[in-house]
């Protein structure tokens, strides 16, 4: 049977667990799929942190870099793509990602994200817990709209990986 070599794309709010779970998925399934973390790739390309890019050039410049990166990474196959929380703000990004990927929304309840966020340093959330609430309200429908699957991240890592396993079987993907 022909296997599906589409990408696995993780979307969700900052703090929902995209980066962590991309690594968990890779380790658990001893996967040959490579992780592409769009924020990390942007930082490497620009040789600046995301914070520095926001501070020096502003959010719209960051969004432009993010879209370019998403377009190029979407053309690859067999990748676990961990996206930035704002990737869903641009429909074009989601078109590229969806064309060649299974999009999984990691849904972590807002109160859990806020609990974890104490002391975090990312630009859109730094010292701005209430901003997270606004972002969540603005974005929740978009995350749902663009996802092929939704996994609730309230339970254990094992539960999460079981859900991933079901998706892989259904989609005929061998990581
Ligand atoms: C952003 C989330 C960040 C990063 C940037 C903007 C957002 O990624 O892309 O700070 O708009 O939600 P994480 O979701 O990995 O924190």
């Amino acid at each position: 049977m022909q296997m599906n070599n589409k990408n696995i794309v993780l979307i969700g709010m900052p703090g929902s667990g995209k980066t962590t779970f991309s690594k968990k998925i890779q380790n658990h399934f001893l996967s040959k799929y490579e992780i592409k973390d769009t924020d990390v790739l942007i930082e490497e390309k620009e040789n600046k942190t995301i914070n520095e890019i926001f501070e020096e050039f502003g959010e719209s410049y960051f969004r432009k870099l993010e879209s370019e990166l998403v377009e190029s990474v979407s053309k690859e196959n067999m990748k676990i793509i961990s996206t930035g929380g704002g990737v869903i703000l641009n429909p074009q990004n989601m078109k590229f990602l969806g064309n060649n990927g299974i999009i999984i929304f990691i849904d972590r309840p807002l109160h859990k994200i806020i609990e974890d966020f104490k002391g975090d340093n990312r630009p859109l959330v730094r010292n701005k817990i209430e901003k997270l609430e606004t972002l969540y309200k603005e974005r929740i429908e978009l995350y749902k709209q663009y996802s092929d699957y939704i996994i609730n991240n309230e339970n254990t890592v094992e539960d999460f990986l079981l859900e991933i396993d079901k998706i892989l079987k259904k989609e005929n993907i061998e990581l």
Side-chain angles (χ1 to χ4, degrees):
M1 193 180 12
Q2 183 71 35
M3 296 311 282
N4 182 347
N5 64 4
K6 277 189 172 179
N7 299 315
I8 300 289
V9 182
L10 303 181
I11 64 170
M13 285 284 289
S16 59
K18 292 162 293 182
T19 302
T20 308
F21 282 119
S22 58
K23 293 178 190 154
K24 297 270 183 211
I25 294 170
Q26 200 190 38
N27 289 340
H28 179 78
F29 295 97
L30 300 174
S31 177
K32 55 190 176 298
Y33 275 43
E34 196 187 334
I35 296 175
K36 296 279 175 175
D37 184 316
T38 59
D39 282 346
V40 171
L41 292 170
I42 290 169
E43 289 185 334
E44 283 173 5
K45 195 162 169 231
E46 296 296 298
N47 205 18
K48 286 183 194 298
T49 65
I50 301 289
N51 280 354
E52 285 166 350
I53 297 171
F54 266 74
E55 272 159 24
E56 289 176 35
F57 305 109
E59 180 172 348
S60 58
Y61 181 73
F62 169 78
R63 296 294 174 206
K64 186 172 156 282
L65 296 175
E66 185 177 46
S67 294
E68 286 167 6
L69 215 273
V70 160
E71 181 175 354
S72 75
V73 96
S74 294
K75 291 180 178 148
E76 300 181 35
N77 285 314
M78 299 170 74
K79 302 286 180 281
I80 299 169
I81 304 176
S82 175
T83 60
V87 74
I88 40 79
L89 299 174
N90 181 342
Q92 195 65 30
N93 290 345
M94 300 318 293
K95 205 167 163 218
F96 282 123
L97 289 166
N99 272 344
N100 199 28
I102 309 295
I103 300 182
I104 301 173
F105 168 34
I106 304 183
D107 190 9
R108 184 157 178 81
L110 186 62
H111 69 275
K112 294 264 183 194
I113 296 178
I114 289 173
E115 256 170 55
D116 302 336
F117 251 120
K118 307 225 163 94
D120 196 284
N121 195 30
R122 277 173 274 193
L124 287 188
V125 289
R126 188 175 36 202
N127 302 327
K128 289 182 192 158
I129 297 294
E130 75 282 4
K131 173 89 185 172
L132 259 182
E133 212 161 298
T134 317
L135 286 183
Y136 190 86
K137 285 189 189 136
E138 278 170 10
R139 294 176 175 181
I140 183 73
E141 289 310 319
L142 292 171
Y143 291 128
K144 287 184 181 164
Q145 174 193 327
Y146 287 121
S147 56
D148 297 307
Y149 297 94
I150 300 177
I151 302 185
N152 195 304
N153 171 16
E154 260 193 287
N155 307 316
T156 63
V157 175
E158 288 70 26
D159 290 330
F160 180 88
L161 291 169
L162 271 176
E163 291 303 312
I164 292 286
D165 195 40
K166 283 188 211 157
I167 295 171
L168 297 175
K169 292 205 166 94
K170 186 150 180 257
E171 296 288 344
N172 198 26
I173 293 176
E174 197 174 83
L175 277 190

